[in-house]
Amino acid sequence: MHRRTLLAATGVALGTAVGGCLSGSDSDDSTDDPTDDAAGPTDDTAETTGDPDTTEHTDTTTDGSGGVVVEDVVVKKAVTYTSIMGSGGVLVGPDRQYVVATVRADEKPSASEFAFEADGESWEPGLPDTEGAINYAVEGHEGGPVSRSFEDGTSFLAFTVPSPLSASDARIRYTGDGGGEWALSADALDRLAAAGPRFELDDLTVPGEVSQGEPLSVSLTVTNVSETDGRFLAAAYWPTKTIADDDESHVVEREMAAGESVAAMVDIDTAYTTDEDEPVTLSLRGHVTADREVQVRDASGPE
């Protein structure tokens, strides 16, 4: 399991910031609470067009005069993240979206010196509702949150902002030594202002029991019930009580046209589930939410 190797290698060298609105209206922090964990086998995605959430990274690379560069800016209605003490998760909410960017700096700037600004409002960096230990990647941006960067001076920013958000002058601003600001591209502004897709869970099939160590096969069917093409994201979380780690998770990701239904299957490793026979809960969190109880048989503690 990749995250356990990473945990041993890096310890607890990274940290996260708590996000929120500095002025204007706060974003809603009441979305589903994924038990932070593994971006396990991510299912292959089907190619579609028309979703503002799937547009490639923007080219926002102007140097700040203080040796700070903000680049590779993306706007997403939902994001995946990875962490130490767990391998990842999904963040999504009906009225929030995420702005993520790479930061390169000669020194280690503080997260409090950055803000996302749009039409007179301002938000500090942070990802509410992640759990477990420390996030080190969001949507392919890696290196640890700002002020906890690796030795190459690279880290990332992640802002949680309202969705949709119509703005003509959205930008990321650095207020530290020398200052700097990076305006979002026209495409990114369009994505901020666009409505996100909506999905419904048609079916979730989970066995009622499993022998520990045997794979647990989970299948689900979802439908894009909106008029917007978009990316479906959800994570299936499974307990791993017998190791010092967060729950295992497997991310399901699909590009779906408006009105389209898709099916997906996930096989979950149950080797570390529990040290006694008992019912445990599989949780589905993301664009859709569900819980299923599974009786674990033939459990044993760590050898």
Side-chain angles (χ1 to χ4, degrees):
M1 294 186 177
H2 169 72
R3 69 188 188 284
R4 291 167 197 135
T5 302
L6 180 65
L7 175 62
T10 59
V12 289
L14 307 180
T16 59
V18 176
C21 183
L22 299 178
S23 64
S25 301
D26 288 346
S27 59
D28 179 10
D29 287 346
S30 62
T31 57
D32 294 330
D33 182 15
T35 311
D36 170 36
D37 226 62
T42 300
D43 292 29
D44 295 335
T45 60
E47 183 177 354
T48 66
T49 58
D51 174 23
D53 200 35
T54 63
T55 306
E56 293 301 319
H57 298 177
T58 61
D59 295 324
T60 311
T61 57
T62 306
D63 288 351
S65 56
V68 175
V69 176
V70 174
E71 59 188 3
D72 200 19
V73 182
V74 296
V75 176
K76 297 287 186 179
K77 301 300 181 183
V79 294
T80 60
Y81 65 95
T82 50
S83 67
I84 296 173
M85 291 293 287
S87 36
V90 169
L91 293 177
V92 59
D95 52 5
R96 62 168 59 177
Q97 59 189 324
Y98 306 90
V99 179
V100 187
T102 294
V103 175
R104 305 189 189 281
D106 297 334
E107 302 295 332
K108 292 186 177 180
S110 168
S112 63
E113 296 174 315
F114 291 90
F116 178 77
E117 300 176 350
D119 284 354
E121 296 186 64
S122 181
W123 291 265
E124 63 185 2
L127 289 172
D129 299 341
T130 63
E131 293 211 8
I134 299 155
N135 305 324
Y136 66 86
V138 174
E139 284 296 312
H141 296 66
E142 297 187 13
V146 169
S147 81
R148 306 281 184 169
S149 56
F150 289 137
E151 291 182 0
D152 64 2
T154 300
S155 55
F156 66 83
L157 291 167
F159 298 91
T160 304
V161 302
S163 178
L165 178 60
S166 181
S168 59
D169 62 348
R171 66 194 62 241
I172 295 172
R173 183 183 298 277
Y174 173 61
T175 60
D177 244 1
E181 62 178 45
W182 297 265
L184 269 65
S185 69
D187 284 346
L189 293 177
D190 288 344
R191 294 198 298 280
L192 278 174
R198 292 180 297 107
F199 303 91
E200 287 186 358
L201 180 65
D202 302 318
D203 180 70
L204 175 62
T205 300
V206 182
E209 63 178 53
V210 66
S211 292
Q212 184 153 301
E214 297 296 322
L216 181 75
S217 293
V218 176
S219 63
L220 65 150
T221 305
V222 295
T223 298
N224 183 346
V225 297
S226 69
E227 297 181 355
T228 303
D229 298 349
R231 179 175 68 155
F232 170 78
L233 278 177
Y237 297 94
W238 180 256
T240 53
K241 295 181 180 180
T242 65
I243 54 175
D245 204 346
D246 292 330
D247 296 346
E248 188 78 18
S249 82
H250 298 261
V251 174
V252 177
E253 180 175 0
R254 290 285 190 274
E255 298 296 341
M256 296 175 60
E260 181 182 7
S261 296
V262 301
M265 180 170 285
V266 173
D267 285 333
I268 295 174
D269 180 7
T270 66
Y272 305 98
T273 303
T274 181
D275 56 6
E276 61 180 331
D277 289 6
E278 63 176 340
V280 302
T281 300
L282 178 132
S283 299
L284 188 68
R285 296 291 185 267
H287 276 117
V288 296
T289 300
D291 295 296
R292 296 289 186 271
E293 188 173 277
V294 179
Q295 177 65 45
V296 178
R297 309 284 188 192
D298 306 318
S300 61
E303 297 180 359

